Amino acid sequence: RDMTKTAAYGWSWFRKEIQDGVAFSERYCTDFLDLVEEIDGVVGTVFARPMSPLSDRPQDYVVSILVARAFRLTVSALYIGLAGYPDSANNLERTAWEISIRLLDMTSAPVGAAFCFLLDGAAAEISRVQAELDHRQAIGEPVHLLPENLRRLQAHYGVLERLVRDRSLDPEQVRHAHGRLNVRQVCKRFGVEKAYLVDYALTSAY
């Protein structure tokens, strides 16, 4: 692209540039890109088991969610980087890195950490729906199905709380211990503080 031109470029131009950039860059990274198939095999092994939050191993269900998300982020980061946008790829890599730290933390208390992930997710949905409902009610806008959706989400959260208590755990303590992780402390606890000081700092710099 000639940066001296004043004409604007539309999506079709950027799409073609991205596709051409990937095709050009792939030839220089074949050995590295071949690892994707190997990683996909590992991911498939993670999925090849019965999974349910209602089972005796809710951690298997949560791990499958996190691993799938991390893999998709990794593939997306590779594509964006090959396309010529490596600074954007760092943002995706950071999220995948954070997932790896949550998986590491889960090894210390698999059941509690798994339910914390589910409780936190449900609580976040409730908070968003409640905020939207409050806003619409305050300014007189139609609320549509928001009240019904809120009740369903609250009921779902209640089910998760009962599942946690059935395992002799306290929902609030579980969320306190494994909710918003102190990333540096988790790394330090597992002897990988350098990963926080170097890798996390690098991916957070963009």
Side-chain angles (χ1 to χ4, degrees), residues 39-194:
I39 296 170
D40 185 58
V42 174
V43 172
T45 302
V46 172
F47 295 156
R49 68 191 71 194
M51 291 176 290
S52 169
L54 306 178
S55 71
D56 293 335
R57 291 179 55 85
Q59 62 267 36
D60 290 344
Y61 174 76
V62 172
V63 166
S64 69
I65 295 172
L66 293 174
V67 168
R69 187 173 300 170
F71 182 72
R72 290 172 63 87
L73 286 166
T74 300
V75 171
S76 300
L78 285 172
Y79 191 85
I80 290 173
L82 291 168
Y85 294 84
D87 52 333
S88 299
N90 274 278
N91 296 322
L92 300 176
E93 182 189 347
R94 180 181 62 198
T95 304
W97 191 91
E98 290 170 343
I99 289 173
S100 73
I101 297 304
R102 181 161 293 279
L103 291 170
L104 190 62
D105 177 71
M106 283 184 65
T107 63
S108 61
V111 174
F115 274 118
C116 171
F117 177 81
L118 298 174
L119 286 167
D120 272 2
E125 287 189 88
I126 289 171
S127 178
R128 288 191 291 268
V129 172
Q130 184 69 67
E132 182 66 24
L133 178 60
D134 291 345
H135 172 74
R136 287 173 176 267
Q137 288 176 331
I139 63 177
E141 286 189 354
V143 298
H144 303 295
L145 295 176
L146 284 172
E148 181 181 348
N149 290 338
L150 181 60
R151 287 191 294 272
R152 289 179 176 177
L153 289 169
Q154 290 169 334
H156 175 64
Y157 188 88
V159 170
L160 291 173
E161 284 187 312
R162 288 193 295 274
L163 289 173
V164 173
R165 292 193 180 98
D166 287 346
R167 289 162 172 78
S168 301
L169 298 171
D170 181 86
E172 289 304 314
Q173 289 182 357
V174 162
R175 290 189 64 188
H176 177 74
H178 302 281
R180 290 187 176 274
L181 296 178
N182 184 319
V183 175
R184 182 170 187 173
Q185 286 302 318
V186 175
C187 290
K188 194 171 183 178
R189 176 155 44 96
F190 285 90
V192 290
E193 188 178 14
K194 187 178 77 70

